[in-house]
Amino acid sequence: MSRSNHYPCKAFIRATTAFCSLIMCITAKGQTFSESFKPFTGTPRHYICYQTNDSISIDGKLSETAWQQVPWTDDFTDIEGNAKPKPPLRTQVKMMWDQHYLYIAAVMQEPHIWATLKEHDAIIFQDNDFEVFIDPDGDTHQYFELEINAYNTIMDLFMNKPYRNGGNALLNWDTKGVKTAVHINGTLNQPNDEDKEWTVEIAIPFNALRFFNDVRRPSDSTIWRINFSRVEWDTKVEDNQYVKLKKPENNWVWSPQEIINMHAPERWGYLQFSTQSTGGKRVNFQMPATEPAKRYLWHIYHQQLQYRQRHGKFATSLQELKVPAKQTTTDGAVYSLQMEGISSQFNAGIQGNTFNGIIRINQEGRITTERK
């Protein structure tokens, strides 16, 4: 199977045989079912994002005191997690925020730093790159992607929903007001020497992360879903130029996806905002009580995809899927499941004794919450 996990636009999809090798079958109404969309068994990583009052200069050098006061993430892993070897080159990220921006810094160990693409919204992952994926409300729909190479060239896009559910990349969407910089510890496009690392620094305006004027501005304890990917191509030197080997790219990520696809937002890590200052007291991550319950909804979702592959339609009841309506966990949580549907649609919900309201998932994998 190809290692490719990028699908930036329809034209590129049609031209990419790697994408085609992922697809097992195409179901009705444009929904894609693939064995690679297996249920998620891991635990997403998390990061506490502290607030800064410093003035941050986006120059790629991370020289401000605030940057020194916030921790690095865990090292990146292969996109499939422990199923694959540890990446040979180290990648780490750190984050902070103020009332206007989410700040992201990434340092990537790299003995040979190169880039070719200079045009905005070029298919940046054809070079080695760093990528950001953000879903502010965690519903797996209406999320954002930004990619950047060592030339500081950007591709950014808005996804109405994941590709697996018939989503389209809106490439003419731009991250208005974004600030980016790249600092190279070495020399760019010089194969005759050995480099050390390259650093990406990004300031993403909260005002830019909106659709239909719905600004995604966080407050204390707000949790977003976020992930980061690093694409690394194996190369050789020919005629004093870097040439990519004829093999799939490496995909290294912060929070493992377990599948070779970044466009499964329910697998991304958790970003918890804190109003504690970058140099202040550390706070603990608080997993939302609804997250364990969502696993049961995703189980129904995957069961429904498999049912539809076999029968050409969705199941209309939990009994058809052989999913019990009552679930009790080892830590005392009690959940009640419900589902209604017709051949082409379904809606499943879950209630529990650890949270108020009801959480729902539909045939497009969209998560919604109804509060009491």
Side-chain angles (χ1 to χ4, degrees):
M1 180 181 291
S2 168
R3 296 282 295 168
S4 181
N5 75 97
H6 300 83
Y7 322 123
C9 61
K10 284 186 176 180
F12 189 74
I13 291 173
R14 289 192 292 267
T16 306
T17 56
F19 174 83
C20 297
S21 71
L22 278 175
I23 303 306
M24 299 293 293
C25 67
I26 305 296
T27 59
K29 297 190 183 297
Q31 186 166 33
T32 300
F33 177 80
S34 168
E35 288 298 331
S36 68
F37 287 94
K38 61 188 178 183
F40 183 54
T41 62
T43 300
R45 288 177 168 178
H46 61 264
Y47 186 90
I48 307 296
C49 190
Y50 295 100
Q51 193 168 25
T52 179
N53 293 317
D54 288 2
S55 177
I56 306 301
S57 175
I58 304 302
D59 54 12
K61 297 180 181 179
L62 314 185
S63 56
E64 292 84 0
T65 299
W67 275 129
Q68 311 310 313
Q69 293 173 331
V70 295
W72 291 104
T73 62
D74 293 329
D75 290 357
F76 280 29
T77 71
D78 187 88
I79 194 170
E80 294 184 86
N82 293 331
K84 297 295 181 181
K86 179 181 177 180
L89 301 175
R90 191 180 196 187
T91 310
Q92 290 181 297
V93 167
K94 58 172 62 178
M95 290 169 275
M96 57 187 178
W97 69 294
D98 61 23
Q99 288 302 307
H100 303 287
Y101 295 96
L102 170 64
Y103 298 99
I104 299 169
V107 175
M108 290 161 281
Q109 183 184 33
E110 178 59 76
H112 297 288
I113 303 173
W114 60 273
T116 65
L117 301 169
K118 296 183 178 181
E119 182 180 352
H120 179 74
D121 280 344
I123 307 304
I124 298 298
F125 67 81
Q126 294 295 340
D127 287 350
N128 291 344
D129 78 352
F130 174 71
E131 306 178 355
V132 182
F133 298 82
I134 301 176
D135 182 8
D137 62 4
D139 69 347
T140 78
H141 284 46
Q142 295 185 352
Y143 61 88
F144 308 90
E145 177 181 352
L146 185 150
E147 303 180 2
I148 186 169
N149 69 2
Y151 269 138
N152 195 28
T153 307
I154 294 174
M155 184 190 86
D156 47 3
L157 58 86
F158 171 84
M159 292 292 299
N160 62 331
K161 54 187 173 182
Y163 293 108
R164 67 186 177 199
N165 304 112
N168 293 309
L170 188 61
L171 270 169
N172 62 357
W173 177 88
D174 290 326
T175 318
K176 298 295 186 183
V178 67
K179 303 176 184 178
T180 65
V182 170
H183 178 71
I184 294 173
N185 192 345
T187 54
L188 181 64
N189 292 332
Q190 293 293 330
N192 295 325
D193 62 8
E194 185 166 309
D195 308 313
K196 183 178 180 182
E197 63 193 15
W198 59 296
T199 301
V200 172
E201 188 176 16
I202 307 172
I204 300 177
F206 294 120
N207 283 342
L209 300 181
R210 62 182 180 179
F211 211 69
F212 302 121
N213 295 318
D214 181 16
V215 179
R216 308 294 188 177
R217 184 173 287 107
S219 57
D220 191 45
S221 300
T222 294
I223 289 183
W224 288 6
R225 302 305 296 270
I226 194 167
N227 212 349
F228 306 98
S229 174
R230 174 182 177 179
V231 169
E232 182 78 9
W233 296 90
D234 292 319
T235 62
K236 61 181 178 179
V237 176
E238 288 184 355
D239 298 325
N240 202 35
Q241 302 230 348
Y242 293 113
V243 178
K244 290 190 289 188
L245 301 183
K246 293 182 178 179
K247 56 190 296 189
E249 78 276 20
N250 298 291
N251 295 286
W252 303 331
V253 305
W254 168 51
S255 193
Q257 295 283 104
E258 292 187 354
I259 56 175
I260 309 170
N261 193 336
M262 289 302 295
H263 291 272
E266 72 278 5
R267 300 166 185 256
W268 296 351
Y270 297 99
L271 179 64
Q272 178 179 311
F273 292 86
S274 173
T275 51
Q276 284 280 2
S277 67
T278 55
K281 182 180 178 180
R282 293 296 182 247
V283 301
N284 294 322
F285 174 69
Q286 297 293 325
M287 177 71 77
T290 55
E291 290 306 303
K294 289 178 184 177
R295 295 229 172 187
Y296 291 92
L297 295 181
W298 284 109
H299 175 70
I300 292 173
Y301 174 81
H302 291 289
Q303 290 290 98
Q304 281 282 44
L305 291 185
Q306 293 174 3
Y307 187 95
R308 189 173 185 179
Q309 185 192 30
R310 294 192 301 268
H311 302 286
K313 62 180 181 178
F314 288 125
T316 58
S317 68
L318 293 174
Q319 291 83 356
E320 288 182 84
L321 297 177
K322 298 181 173 57
V323 174
K326 295 290 184 181
Q327 303 279 351
T328 302
T329 68
T330 56
D331 59 0
V334 179
Y335 299 125
S336 297
L337 291 166
Q338 55 189 258
M339 190 186 77
E340 56 185 14
I342 57 177
S343 62
S344 60
Q345 300 175 29
F346 73 89
N347 189 297
I350 188 167
Q351 295 174 285
N353 64 348
T354 59
F355 61 91
N356 294 320
I358 182 168
I359 313 166
R360 299 187 183 277
I361 194 169
N362 66 9
Q363 71 280 352
E364 292 191 333
R366 186 178 185 186
I367 294 286
T368 56
T369 302
E370 300 172 11
R371 306 290 185 186
K372 287 186 177 179

